[in-house]
Structure formats: structure tokens, C-alpha cells
């Protein structure tokens, strides 16, 4: 990434998205899971958009993305934290699309009239817990919390004037405001960043996935570009029949190996396993060469595997 500022991103959100994407290419996801995946993906895109804007701010800024904290026995996730000299900006990013309205403090989708999780409550909750986390370490920094709506197709009716929010057409003024904030960071800010990162709790994404078994997943290699399993393997390259994307066989095999390890961390990786996972599309010698080059062989006779 070509950011001037220091951007710390945990793999918290990306691992879950990658797993869902891989599963979706080899397995029919239920409608519920698919909707969950699409909404997570949309949220992620919104967060990346804001992060890319913030990263252009100043070479001195410190940005923490997608962190999960635990405070007072409660976990809370923060999309983006920007550390300035005296202030911590807390951003809750919403990539909502369509028309919404506020009535008596609650938020509704206009087309269905159904209530949605109140973003203001989410933001307040994060603010309170973050304050408590800082307080536990005797850190006195101001917190400025904001909702940031990133989707240009989003409209909110009946929004109160004092709503702590930036709408898509106001993102430039957000950047302008931040540009004017003092960003003279010193060692104590770096320490604060390190402290916050050290408090990030790892949350395994596997528990949130639908149940899946090796035998239920379609075998083969997926195109990196469109995730199709419909590929043709020639002597040196793997060609996607759906989008035409071409990849070196060795690269496709390596990706397949990584996918296998990510989806099934407990399965042993060896030539036999990878050959089966790739649906016997490649010469075993090439598979062996890829494993030898990229992994370490753990010798256990018949049960040798690569790590
Ligand atoms: Zn493709």
C-alpha cells in the first residue's frame, strides 16, 4: 500500500471475508449466509474507502483499522481510529444504500419500513467502552465520534441537525476539518497506538461460518479473478473459461494450497491431499515442486506433510 501515514490493519475482517468467498466458490451458501457475506463485503468496501481517504491526510497520522477490543467483559469492534495530537477520532463507517428515515430516534429503511440497528447507539456504545479502556490506562485524550456514510446512493430523511455524522457529499469537509487538526505526534502517541493494538483481541472467524465438510466442497482450482472453478489447464498455464484470466500453473497450485489450509487448517498438506483438492488437474511432479519450493517438508515417512 502506498500510504504516507502509519496504517495498522488487523486481519480480523479480511479473513472472514476470504473464507466466505472461498466457500461460496465451492459450495452453495444458504441465502442467509450469502446475504451476511454481501453485507459484510459492502461494509468492508466502505471502511476501505474511508481508510484510503484518511491515509492521504498527513505523514504523521496514526490510523488503526478494524480493531476488536474487550473492556468490562464486553467486546466491541471499531472500524477506524485516527490518532491526532489531542484527539482520537472514532469512525463508525456505514456503507448503507437506499433511503432511510429517523422517527422518534429510531432508524428505518424507507422501502420496507423495517427498523435497522441504530447506528448512533452503536457509535455511543463504542465511545463509552473506548473511554473506559483509555481510562483504565489513565490516558487522557479527547474522543470525537462520528458516523461516516460512504455510499453516494444513501439518503437519510429527518436527520437531526446535531447528528454526529458525515454524509457522502461531506467527506471532503471531513478531510478539511482533519487537515486543520494538529498532528504533531510524539512518542506517547506511538505508545498509545501500540497499547491499543496490543489490546486487539483475536476472534476466530471459523465460529461464524456455516458448517462445512471437506467432502461437501467442489474440488478443482478457482480463478483468482472471478472465483470460477471452470478452468482449462494447459502445459504451463491455467485459463479461466468464465473470464479468460490466465495464471501460471505453479501460481494456481500455490493458491489452491493456501485455500485448502485456510478452509481446513487441521488437514495435512501433502502431494496426495493437494492433488485431490485440485481435482487431479495437474501433474503430481508439478504439485510436489510447488510444495517443496513454498513449504517445509515435515518428514514422517508415509505421513510426511508440508508446513
Ligand atoms: Zn475467471
Amino acid at each position: 500500500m502506498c500510504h504516507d501515514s502509519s496504517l495498522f490493519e488487523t486481519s480480523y475482517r479480511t479473513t472472514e471475508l476470504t473464507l466466505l468467498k472461498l466457500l461460496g466458490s465451492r459450495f452453495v451458501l444458504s441465502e442467509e449466509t450469502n446475504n451476511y457475506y454481501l453485507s459484510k463485503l459492502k461494509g468492508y468496501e466502505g471502511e476501505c474507502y474511508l481508510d484510503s481517504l484518511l491515509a492521504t491526510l498527513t505523514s504523521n497520522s496514526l490510523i488503526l483499522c478494524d480493531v476488536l477490543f474487550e473492556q468490562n467483559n464486553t467486546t466491541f469492534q471499531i472500524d477506524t481510529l485516527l490518532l491526532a495530537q489531542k484527539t482520537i477520532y472514532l469512525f463508525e463507517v456505514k456503507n448503507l444504500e437506499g433511503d432511510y428515515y429517523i422517527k422518534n430516534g429510531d432508524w428505518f429503511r424507507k422501502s420496507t419500513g423495517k427498523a435497522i440497528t441504530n447506528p448512533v447507539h452503536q457509535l455511543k456504545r463504542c465511545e463509552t467502552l473506548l473511554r473506559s479502556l483509555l481510562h483504565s490506562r489513565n490516558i487522557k485524550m479527547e474522543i470525537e465520534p462520528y458516523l461516516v456514510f460512504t455510499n453516494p446512493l444513501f439518503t437519510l430523511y429527518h436527520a437531526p441537525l446535531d447528528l454526529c455524522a458525515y454524509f457522502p457529499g461531506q467527506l471532503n469537509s471531513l478531510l478539511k476539518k482533519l487537515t486543520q487538526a494538529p498532528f504533531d505526534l510524539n512518542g506517547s502517541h506511538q505508545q498509545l497506538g501500540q497499547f491499543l493494538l496490543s489490546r486487539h483481541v483475536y476472534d476466530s472467524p471459523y465460529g461464524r461460518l456455516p458448517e462445512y465438510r471437506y467432502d461437501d466442497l467442489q474440488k478443482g482450482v478457482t480463478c483468482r479473478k472471478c472465483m470460477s472453478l471452470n478452468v482449462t489447464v494447459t502445459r504451463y498455464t491455467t485459463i479461466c473459461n468464465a473470464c479468460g484470466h490466465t495464471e501460471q500453473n505453479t501460481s494456481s497450485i500455490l493458491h489452491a494450497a493456501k485455500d485448502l489450509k485456510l478452509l481446513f487448517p487441521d488437514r495435512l498438506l501433502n502431494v496426495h491431499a493437494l492433488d485431490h483438492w485440485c481435482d487431479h488437474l495437474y501433474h503430481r511432479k508439478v504439485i510436489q515442486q510447488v510444495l517443496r519450493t513454498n513449504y517445509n517438508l515435515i518428514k514422517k515417512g508415509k505421513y510426511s506433510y508440508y508446513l
Side-chain angles (χ1 to χ4, degrees):
M1 275 197 270
C2 51
H3 299 303
D4 289 319
S5 50
S6 307
L7 187 134
F8 298 97
E9 186 179 352
T10 67
S11 58
Y12 171 58
R13 57 184 171 182
T14 41
T15 310
E16 184 182 15
L17 281 172
T18 307
L19 279 163
L20 283 165
K21 187 164 93 170
L22 289 176
L23 271 183
S25 69
R26 296 175 180 270
F27 182 65
V28 180
L29 297 178
S30 69
E31 199 184 330
E32 191 189 351
T33 306
N34 201 40
N35 288 341
Y36 172 76
Y37 168 60
L38 292 176
S39 93
K40 284 271 161 188
L41 186 63
K42 202 157 200 188
Y44 176 63
E45 286 166 355
E47 290 168 37
C48 288
Y49 179 61
L50 176 69
D51 296 344
S52 69
L53 291 181
L54 294 181
T56 62
L57 269 183
T58 152
S59 53
N60 278 334
S61 61
L62 249 170
I63 305 168
L64 274 73
C65 305
D66 201 39
V67 272
L68 186 71
F69 296 124
E70 193 179 302
Q71 180 65 14
N72 308 338
N73 297 319
T74 311
T75 50
F76 63 109
Q77 190 242 332
I78 289 179
D79 293 339
T80 299
L81 283 177
L82 173 72
L83 272 56
Q85 198 174 326
K86 293 177 183 162
T87 313
I88 298 178
Y89 295 95
L90 161 62
F91 298 114
E92 172 77 30
V93 184
K94 295 285 163 205
N95 199 10
L96 295 173
E97 190 177 316
D99 297 345
Y100 292 79
Y101 62 92
I102 298 179
K103 192 178 172 186
N104 300 330
D106 292 322
W107 292 51
F108 300 87
R109 198 184 168 113
K110 192 165 168 261
S111 60
T112 57
K114 274 190 184 165
I116 61 162
T117 310
N118 190 324
V120 177
H121 292 170
Q122 270 180 293
L123 184 69
K124 291 268 177 244
R125 175 178 178 272
C126 281
E127 183 195 351
T128 308
L129 288 161
L130 179 64
R131 207 175 287 286
S132 162
L133 179 65
L134 296 177
H135 188 74
S136 71
R137 189 71 179 236
N138 218 6
I139 298 165
K140 292 181 181 74
M141 289 275 280
E142 276 181 36
I143 300 175
E144 276 192 35
Y146 293 105
L147 292 172
V148 178
F149 295 91
T150 47
N151 199 315
L153 301 175
F154 169 76
T155 305
L156 181 65
Y157 294 93
H158 307 314
L161 280 174
D162 61 352
L163 187 69
C164 294
Y166 280 89
F167 295 101
Q170 300 175 314
L171 294 181
N172 270 343
S173 46
L174 168 64
L175 286 183
K176 205 168 167 191
K177 172 192 159 81
L178 294 173
T179 313
Q180 285 157 1
F183 271 97
D184 201 6
L185 303 192
N186 56 33
S188 66
H189 295 96
Q190 296 291 340
Q191 275 178 10
L192 171 59
Q194 289 305 328
F195 163 67
L196 290 170
L197 268 185
S198 75
R199 292 296 301 262
H200 169 73
V201 287
Y202 176 74
D203 177 39
S204 166
Y206 293 94
R208 292 190 298 277
L209 297 176
E211 246 182 72
Y212 59 92
R213 296 179 314 138
Y214 179 83
D215 290 344
D216 296 336
L217 301 194
Q218 211 179 322
K219 309 303 179 290
V221 291
T222 46
C223 163
R224 282 300 111 186
K225 210 169 166 194
C226 74
M227 299 309 285
S228 168
L229 278 164
N230 179 5
V231 298
T232 300
V233 174
T234 66
R235 190 176 164 92
Y236 294 113
T237 56
T238 303
I239 304 156
C240 173
N241 297 324
C243 78
H245 178 68
T246 301
E247 199 173 347
Q248 294 274 325
N249 286 344
T250 46
S251 168
S252 295
I253 294 169
L254 181 59
H255 279 134
K258 287 181 178 169
D259 294 351
L260 178 62
K261 279 313 282 181
L262 191 61
L263 284 165
F264 301 98
D266 297 335
R267 280 185 95 89
L268 294 184
L269 184 63
N270 54 33
V271 176
H272 175 76
L274 192 51
D275 181 38
H276 189 262
W277 179 243
C278 292
D279 203 20
H280 316 290
L281 286 172
Y282 302 96
H283 213 285
R284 275 173 161 251
K285 276 194 176 154
V286 185
I287 293 181
Q288 186 168 48
Q289 182 208 327
V290 170
L291 288 174
R292 268 197 194 143
T293 316
N294 296 283
Y295 294 89
N296 295 317
L297 178 66
I298 310 295
K299 283 188 181 162
K300 289 238 165 109
K302 202 168 125 183
Y303 300 104
S304 294
Y305 61 95
Y306 289 86
L307 201 63

